[in-house]
Amino acid sequence: MRRFSPVVALLAVLALAAGCGGDDAAAEQGAVTGRVPVVATTTQLTDFVRVVGGNHVDVYGILKANVDPHDYEPSPADVTRLASARVIVKNGVGLEDWFDATIRNAESKAAI
């Protein structure tokens, strides 16, 4: 079975999200900056998205350096960014147990 690399997968998601309709806030943010609004959880994922997306993304990293992702409590700014994101990048192996509920509470329509 053939597997896609994470880079190819992220580029595909970014392309798909750029072509899909989203909420008004995300559309306004993208129209102003010309970039896809992306939210990432860990510092590593934030850096990964910045490198892969380059000038095509506006990345907001939720977790800052030296913050334990298991115990983090999202801020109102985090929820606002999630609500307007077109793409959300997360670890997904139980590292951020709080994250799925936060995405639901933000009523995000982003591609995850």
Side-chain angles (χ1 to χ4, degrees):
M1 176 181 273
R2 189 173 196 185
R3 291 181 44 152
F4 290 100
S5 74
V7 173
V8 172
L10 180 61
L11 289 174
V13 168
L14 288 174
L16 178 66
C20 294
D23 65 352
D24 292 336
E28 287 176 23
Q29 183 178 358
V32 170
T33 65
R35 299 176 177 184
V36 176
V38 180
V39 173
T41 54
T42 64
T43 56
Q44 294 86 355
L45 290 176
T46 300
D47 290 343
F48 179 77
V49 172
R50 279 192 183 115
V51 169
V52 172
N55 293 338
H56 303 288
V57 296
D58 179 22
V59 185
Y60 176 78
I62 291 184
L63 297 172
K64 306 306 180 221
N66 301 318
V67 172
D68 185 352
H70 298 99
D71 298 329
Y72 184 76
E73 299 222 6
S75 70
D78 296 337
V79 175
T80 299
R81 289 294 189 120
L82 284 166
S84 64
R86 300 273 306 271
V87 177
I88 297 171
V89 181
K90 66 178 190 167
N91 188 305
V93 293
L95 184 66
E96 320 100 334
D97 286 334
W98 49 270
F99 199 50
D100 289 330
T102 305
I103 294 169
R104 280 192 303 278
N105 290 337
E107 299 178 355
S108 178
K109 295 176 178 53
I112 301 172

